Structure formats: C-alpha cells, structure tokens
Amino acid sequence: MPSDRPAPAPRPSSAVASPRPTLPYGYIHLGVAKGVAPALRDFGLDPDATIREAGLDPGLFDDEENVIPHATLGRLLSLCVARTNCPHFGLLVGRRATILSLGMIGRLMQHSETLGDALRAIVTYLGVQNRGAVPLLAVSNDLALFSFMIYQPHIESADQISDGALAVTVNAIRTLIGSDWNPTEVLLPRIVPPDVEPYLRHFRAPVRFDQESATIVLPARDLARRVPGADPLMRILLEERIEHMTDSASDFADGIRRLLRTRLTSNRCSAEDIAALMAMHRRTLSRRLKDSGAGYRIIANEIRFEIARQLLEDTEVSLCQIAAALGYSEASAFTRAFRRWSGRTPTAWRAKGRQR
C-alpha cells in the first residue's frame, strides 16, 4: 500500500546551479513527476513498464532536471491511475515532492524574505520549470488565493496534475513557515473522488471539489510571514541565474497563452485589454503574434476550449456555469462555440469522456 507520510522537509541549499537552456513550449522539468516511479512501486508495480508504455525512457527519471513533454506526463498519469486503480494517484506523487523538487525556483523560495515573496517567485518564474501551466496569486480582502492552471491544450489527467501541484505547494509552504501551517481551504477542479480522506489528511483543511480552478486559499496575513534562514545575497544570486534561464522573446505567443489562462475566467479579455496590460498598441500585439505564427482570436479560442474541455471531463460543473466562466451571456452561445471547436456539443463531449 502507498505511504501517506508527508515528505521530510529538506535543509536549505546554498548551491547555485549553472544556467540551463530556455525550456521549450509544452515541456516540463521532471521535478515533482520524479515521484511517479516510487509511487508505482508502493502499489507493487514495476514502474519501468508503465513509463515505457507512456513513450518515455525510464532512465529519464533518474534525474529531476530532465525534461519531458507536458502532454506525455498527462498520458503517464492516466496510465498510472488505470494500473493502480487509484483515483488520487497525482496527489500521492505530489505528497512525495519537496520544495527542492521545484528546482531553482524552490531554492529561490527558500531565500525569499516572506511567504508572499516566495509565492510570487513561483508566479514570476514557473516558466523556467513548466511551460504547460501557469500560477496566479491574488488577494481579496483578508484572503489570498494561489491558483494553478493548465493552459497547454489536449492534456490528459489535468485533474491529477493539479492535485500533485497543490500537494507540493502545500509541502513547500510548510517547509518555509512551519510544518503546522494549514490552508483555509483547497479548491480542486475534479469530480469528488470515492475516498476524500487522502486529501483531507494531506491538506488538513476543507477541500471543495467541482471547482473552476485548482486553488489554495490562505489568510492574506500569512503572506507577510518571514521565511527563517533566508539569505538576501543568495536570493539576488538565484534571481540572476533564473533571469539568465529565461528568454522573454523566445515565444511571444506562449506568453499571451499564459496571460489569457489567468484572466479568461475572471475578466473579459479583448485584444485591446491584453495589449494595454502589456503596454503596447493593439496593432503591435497583432504584428508580434503574426510573426510568431499565431493570431489573437485563435489563441483565445484555444484557451477557452482547453478550459471548457477540462471542466467538462474532470468536473460536474454545469454548462451554464462553464459558459458564464468563459464570458458567454448564455449557455446556447457557448454550445455553438464548443461545437465549432470540437465538432461535438458540450453534453456529448462530457458523455464521451465519462465512457473512458
């Protein structure tokens, strides 16, 4: 049986790694996913067979710095769920991970002055570790919301990936400010699993399922909590290293995808809105997207389709709620748009997904 013991808190590292090449769009450093193999062994399974079936070399999992396609990770987690018959397999993988599973970003978090600075480091720099998902930190009154959203299209097991992402984030926060820390609540974009106890045991907080995004809710005052042992000089060195690992001009369209994924479910995002956010003229935005081989409307619809697909497949959120979240005035308009994107109605798509 798999162990439910939380991962031990790592000691802060003073090592500064050499810069790595810019991560290609749609790829992810193994990091947290390195826990897939031991999690499979806990069920008495040979991980190599499942990893090969997903189209990966098992040797890749010897080094968490290796990179794999985000879509292949989704395929691997689908196979793991099927082989283990464990609907919370992603949670088990995330539970194993530590703050250092986040690579250079995890080290930067350890040397951030406050928890808020550490979470903002994830928001700012996750692209060097994961170019298939985007985080968001928002504050509303006395609550802070840290969300994790997948934006790359056609990813299997988005629910498993989200489970693992929130599990390791909670591990990281507990490493930074104390193992007794608990969130206010946790929101998950997935159907209620048959057994909710593993979620309650790990998060130690109320967990709400069938939500629009994967979100950790915490008191806003916790953002000001200081990180013991943080070294300001080390933080500066790490930030410089990470800046060298980024290339903001390498994929302009991917930056727009990331931005849209954080805003489509809460704001009307016209091309003019996005251009204003990026301090550029609408025509400049169009020209730069054209140079990268994409168009604003195509990218926006791609993100809308991915959000809708995930909610239809992984949750019981109603069509009216999905339509409203995507900015449609009525469900019929959303249904027409979804049929254009996929060739099926949302209801037919959800039914097909339930048969898998």
Side-chain angles (χ1 to χ4, degrees), residues 59-72:
L60 288 171
F61 286 74
D62 294 336
D63 184 353
E64 64 187 21
E65 297 296 332
N66 287 327
V67 302
I68 61 172
H70 203 221
T72 305

Side-chain angles (χ1 to χ4, degrees), residues 12-204:
S13 170
S14 60
V16 181
S18 299
R20 296 180 302 220
T22 302
L23 189 67
Y25 167 62
Y27 277 71
I28 181 172
H29 281 276
L30 272 174
V32 176
K34 194 171 183 290
V36 166
L40 285 170
R41 291 191 192 100
D42 281 345
F43 284 93
L45 299 174
D46 174 15
D48 290 1
T50 304
I51 291 169
R52 287 195 185 95
E53 189 176 354
L56 293 170
D57 178 356
L60 288 171
F61 286 74
D62 294 336
D63 184 353
E64 64 187 21
E65 297 296 332
N66 287 327
V67 302
I68 61 172
H70 203 221
T72 305
L73 172 62
R75 171 63 178 158
L76 173 60
L77 288 173
S78 292
L79 290 170
C80 290
V81 171
R83 299 295 175 269
T84 62
N85 196 30
C86 176
H88 59 270
F89 188 86
L91 177 74
L92 298 180
V93 173
R95 279 180 56 88
R96 287 180 167 275
T98 72
I99 194 169
L100 295 186
S101 301
L102 301 175
M104 292 285 284
I105 299 170
R107 294 178 177 88
L108 177 59
M109 293 174 71
Q110 289 180 308
H111 294 289
S112 296
E113 183 176 358
T114 66
L115 175 62
D117 293 333
L119 293 178
R120 282 186 283 270
I122 300 179
V123 172
T124 302
Y125 296 118
L126 185 65
V128 304
Q129 188 82 8
N130 180 338
R131 289 192 67 192
V134 60
L136 176 68
L137 179 63
V139 177
S140 177
N141 298 322
D142 58 348
L143 292 176
L145 294 86
F146 179 85
S147 301
F148 178 87
M149 295 161 282
I150 295 169
Y151 68 90
Q152 189 188 2
H154 312 303
I155 298 296
E156 293 184 47
S157 288
D159 55 343
Q160 303 296 323
I161 295 173
S162 296
D163 283 359
L166 293 199
V168 68
T169 301
V170 165
N171 281 350
I173 294 173
R174 288 172 178 159
T175 296
L176 295 174
I177 61 173
S179 60
D180 60 344
W181 179 86
N182 298 318
T184 301
E185 65 177 345
V186 173
L187 316 179
L188 291 172
R190 58 166 298 148
I191 295 171
V192 181
D195 183 9
V196 302
E197 182 58 28
Y199 293 88
L200 299 176
R201 187 161 53 248
H202 179 66
F203 293 120
R204 303 200 303 255

